[in-house]
Amino acid sequence: MKFVIKLFPEITIKSMSVRKHMTKILQQNLRTLFRRYEISADVQNRWDSLIVIVNRTDDASRRRAIQILSHTPGIAGALEISEYNFSTLDEAYQRVRDAYREQVEGKTFCVRIKRNGNHDFTSHQAEQYMGGGFLKETGALKVDLHNPQVTVLAELRDDKVQVVKQTIKGLGGYPLGSQGEVLSLISGGFDSTVASYLMNRRGLKTHFCFFNLGGSAHEIGVKQVSHYLWSQYSESHRVKFVTVPFEAVVAEILQHVDTSQMGVVLKRMMLRAACRVADSMHIPALVTGEAVAQVASQTITNLAVIDQIADRMVLRPLAAMDKQDIIDIARRIGTESFAASMPEYCGVISVNPTTVGDRRKVEDAEAKFNMEVLEAAIAAARIERIDDVLSGTESGLENVQIISTPSVTDVIVDIRHPAEAADAPLVLTNNPVITVPFYELEQRVKGLVNDHPGRRILLYCQKGTMSKIHAHHLNEEKRGDFAVFMEA
């Protein structure tokens, strides 16, 4: 299998030295990811693109390769290609024709050729020649240059013709790790998960910091969504998950802080603690999911008062975004189902909260707060590697059964995003495969169980993480018999 990787356009306009640096990082990130899945792959740098040659031809390796290329920051898109030698334009045409013959049958089409090297024809002449050949020698309907049903894609490079089998959309952004590191304050809701994703996409190695306001269920939920974000969009790098126990801080605020100032004071306490954690990890900036005016503590004046206690940059990538836009991104990246079911533990709810931040009033309110409580919370912070956070017995995921060879009575449910499932369909000989996107599973699970009474349902996704989480949740609620299907 061979893939041509197209760089994020903003990388291509950088200076030569910066472009080389970013391309080298992307190349190393891809090598790391393929090694992680024990797939032998050669990643070559061709200046204007990268070439990935996967030294395996099985369907499982192809699906994993597509998953990696579509979820790695820095990639605008990837082309899955077949490559052949040619000496004449007609030889190149024959290779392209044979690859697209079935696709253009009875459909309108156009031919798009990119050319690099010394040839006795131009790209336009190659397109005309091949287009005429398709009309004569295939069942194509007609040429449509503006709105074709099929676009025939190929690249001619010196004596090689690369026939495009599939176009894979990438994340864009900058290669992970090329822009430094940040610490994201994550609660597991829509906002903080999307903010963390956007930082990853921008090339920032993103660690997670969770303030536990009370309840193990919330902590487990946040660990699950954080692990999901890492496994989907930043698995090329090791990151940390920090838990800061904040129950005592909440209790102190409830006892000693005026109710109108509670929300702002809590946010300032979180920033104080996050700055200390970031300092110990040598991280220069924090990230929050706050959007201007979304809640009372997020007015511009309150945010200014909150930031006054920070000793480092606070990034707010969602500052000017609408809530629906945030939810739409959460749905696209796969965190909506987590956020919608995330337990809430908000013990600090102001009565008539202030929307006009006043530093003096906030500082007067904080003067009644025993800072030793905050110091104790910071001292008790736990730092774990993100790849270890779901290994503890408290997550329950270790109890989920993993099946590599399903029985003939098992029903396989592919819970991947529809685009991902379409790019690399799961086909099994002896088992029905039902496609239900993860974000629809909760609403459709009753129908699945009723339609297949007494049968075991195996959930499938590319890496197994999302499937384990959903199977564990559904088994805990006794909704049916769920396990996970993972290809050997």
Side-chain angles (χ1 to χ4, degrees), residues 267-416:
K267 292 291 183 67
R268 280 166 62 98
M269 294 301 171
M270 287 180 173
L271 272 197
R272 284 188 174 96
C275 286
R276 293 275 293 280
V277 171
D279 187 58
S280 69
M281 298 171 65
H282 308 290
I283 296 174
L286 306 177
V287 177
T288 78
E290 292 159 323
V292 173
Q294 192 175 113
V295 296
S297 65
Q298 295 175 20
T299 62
I300 196 70
T301 50
N302 276 341
L303 290 175
V305 171
I306 291 168
D307 280 1
Q308 285 168 349
I309 54 88
D311 62 2
R312 61 203 62 225
M313 179 184 294
V314 180
L315 298 171
R316 293 185 172 89
L318 311 185
M321 292 183 65
D322 297 333
K323 189 67 175 185
Q324 189 57 52
D325 293 335
I326 297 168
I327 293 173
D328 290 343
I329 294 175
R331 180 178 300 117
R332 176 165 54 83
I333 66 175
T335 60
E336 181 191 32
S337 60
F338 292 97
S341 60
M342 190 65 61
E344 289 290 347
Y345 291 93
C346 188
V348 179
I349 302 175
S350 299
V351 178
N352 298 321
T354 180
T355 57
V356 181
D358 186 313
R359 180 174 180 175
R360 181 184 58 78
K361 290 182 179 179
V362 171
E363 289 177 345
D364 288 344
E366 287 182 345
K368 303 171 186 176
F369 184 93
N370 181 2
M371 287 296 177
E372 291 183 2
V373 175
L374 179 64
E375 292 295 326
I378 296 171
R382 299 194 317 277
I383 301 178
E384 304 170 80
R385 284 181 15 168
I386 190 66
D387 45 326
D388 290 336
V389 297
L390 297 185
S391 61
T393 56
E394 74 278 359
S395 71
L397 298 187
E398 75 285 349
N399 297 322
V400 176
Q401 189 175 13
I402 309 297
I403 306 297
S404 59
T405 305
S407 71
V408 293
T409 59
D410 289 334
V411 177
I412 314 298
V413 178
D414 186 344
I415 66 169
R416 292 176 295 169

Side-chain angles (χ1 to χ4, degrees), residues 31-263:
R31 286 173 175 166
T32 298
L33 288 166
F34 279 105
R35 278 199 307 269
R36 180 176 292 278
Y37 286 94
E38 299 179 346
I39 297 176
S40 173
D42 184 21
V43 185
Q44 303 170 357
N45 189 347
R46 205 169 64 182
W47 173 244
D48 61 336
S49 60
L50 295 177
I51 300 294
V52 175
I53 303 171
V54 180
N55 301 315
R56 289 166 65 174
T57 58
D58 57 286
D59 287 341
S61 295
R62 179 178 175 272
R63 281 193 287 271
R64 285 196 176 94
I66 291 172
Q67 166 80 11
I68 289 170
L69 299 178
S70 62
H71 285 67
T72 300
I75 296 176
L79 305 176
E80 184 182 5
I81 64 169
S82 295
E83 188 173 75
Y84 310 95
N85 292 322
F86 79 97
S87 56
T88 66
L89 178 57
D90 189 65
E91 287 183 5
Y93 155 69
Q94 290 178 41
R95 293 294 191 181
V96 177
R97 176 202 61 199
D98 292 346
Y100 278 92
R101 185 188 295 274
E102 293 183 2
Q103 294 184 49
V104 300
E105 180 76 28
K107 296 178 181 177
T108 61
F109 75 100
C110 72
V111 179
R112 299 298 182 203
I113 302 295
K114 289 187 177 180
R115 191 183 59 82
N116 189 292
N118 295 318
H119 303 103
D120 58 0
F121 53 83
T122 66
S123 298
H124 183 60
Q125 288 171 335
E127 291 172 348
Q128 289 182 318
Y129 183 88
M130 293 189 188
F134 269 82
L135 287 174
K136 291 178 182 179
E137 300 180 8
T138 73
L141 186 61
K142 66 176 182 177
V143 174
D144 185 342
L145 298 178
H146 301 291
N147 190 30
Q149 292 174 285
V150 178
T151 300
V152 176
L153 298 172
E155 293 195 21
L156 306 178
R157 286 184 169 268
D158 299 319
D159 62 346
K160 307 284 187 185
V161 54
Q162 297 175 343
V163 182
V164 179
K165 298 166 64 176
Q166 166 173 219
T167 300
I168 302 161
K169 183 175 175 56
L171 281 186
Y174 292 124
L176 193 67
S178 65
Q179 306 303 312
E181 302 182 33
V182 293
L183 181 66
S184 179
L185 280 61
I186 188 163
S187 66
F190 294 103
D191 302 338
S192 62
T193 54
V194 171
S196 300
Y197 159 78
L198 292 175
M199 292 295 98
N200 278 327
R201 185 180 178 276
R202 204 61 183 173
L204 289 150
K205 181 178 174 181
T206 303
H207 304 269
F208 303 99
C209 183
F210 168 61
F211 292 93
N212 193 341
L213 306 184
S216 61
H218 192 192
E219 180 175 345
I220 292 171
V222 175
K223 283 182 174 180
Q224 288 174 344
V225 72
S226 299
H227 186 277
Y228 171 79
L229 282 169
W230 169 75
S231 67
Q232 292 291 310
Y233 304 108
S234 60
E235 201 174 16
S236 59
H237 287 66
R238 300 287 190 187
V239 303
K240 298 290 181 16
F241 184 92
V242 184
T243 303
V244 184
F246 242 48
E247 298 96 325
V249 174
V250 170
E252 184 72 12
I253 290 174
L254 289 171
Q255 291 178 44
H256 300 292
V257 174
D258 179 81
T259 56
S260 65
Q261 305 295 333
M262 282 183 176

